[in-house]
Amino acid sequence: MLFPTAFIPPHVEPRWWERDATSPEPTRNVTAAEHGQCPTHVKYALTCRQFDRLMARADNHCEACGSAPENSRFGRLAIDHVTKLGWWAVRGLLCTACNAALHVGALGLPRFREYVSNAFYLTLLAEAKVTDHVAEPPLGAVVLDAGGRPWRREQPARWPWTSEHRWMPRHRRYPQAPETWEWLTSRNGPHHLRVDRIESHLIPAA
Ligand SMILES: [Zn+2]
Ligand SMILES: [Zn+2]
């Protein structure tokens, strides 16, 4: 058997969730041991640093009832989000019971009152100085998503029968999947989207 005894991974650039706008220093080495399951928080559009902040805020206890993670399913707290807004709208960390209670509409219970008003995504929106609704940029706009990937608003070339404008992924070699602005904001969160430039040649002359 000629397997190498120690596999040395090739050098790769830190991924977008391992960096943060607040500090250019990648967080990879700091957090690799602590949250080895970065894809879980990345699904909620949280960078490693933001997830660290969320964990520090919860102090390893349910943010609504104070229960320890041992009382939860799989022995860990759940990431609670507002489904109506999108994956990015993370309210906080909850035990299984509180998370399930919110699912069946227990928002009115007193233990959730403070928790809901202190939702984590409200902090992120306030830091980025945006609200949960951002107006769609004009035709020809190129928007960078959470990972810095460009999306351009244009008329899909394969839809000549409609005048609808959609968002085309410019980072793919064969962009075939036009998306709506609602999809883009619900996947990334308004605080992660920024207009990079306007390509005016796409705007038809009046
Ligand atoms: Zn992480
Ligand atoms: Zn709880």
Side-chain angles (χ1 to χ4, degrees), residues 1-6:
M1 287 298 194
L2 287 174
F3 289 123
T5 47

Side-chain angles (χ1 to χ4, degrees), residues 61-68 72 77 93-99 111-112:
H61 284 85
C62 171
E63 291 192 79
C65 71
S67 151
S72 282
L77 299 170
L93 298 177
L94 290 180
C95 69
T96 309
C98 289
N99 198 26
R111 64 181 149 141
F112 290 124

Side-chain angles (χ1 to χ4, degrees), residues 118-170:
N118 288 338
F120 189 66
Y121 76 90
L122 296 176
T123 316
L124 298 181
L125 290 179
E127 284 170 3
K129 298 187 179 69
V130 291
T131 63
D132 59 20
H133 180 80
V134 172
E136 185 168 14
L139 190 66
V142 176
V143 160
L144 303 181
D145 70 7
R149 296 169 293 245
W151 295 76
R152 190 170 70 185
R153 189 181 176 191
E154 58 193 47
Q155 164 143 19
R158 292 171 187 219
W159 298 0
W161 59 86
T162 158
S163 59
E164 270 183 66
H165 304 141
R166 290 297 167 94
W167 291 86
M168 296 295 270
R170 303 300 297 169

Side-chain angles (χ1 to χ4, degrees), residues 17-18 27 31-32 35-39 41-42 46-49 51-52:
W17 56 86
E18 291 164 333
T27 54
T31 55
H35 34 121
Q37 303 138 340
C38 289
H41 68 73
V42 168
L46 294 175
T47 65
C48 285
R49 221 169 266 273
F51 188 56
D52 281 342

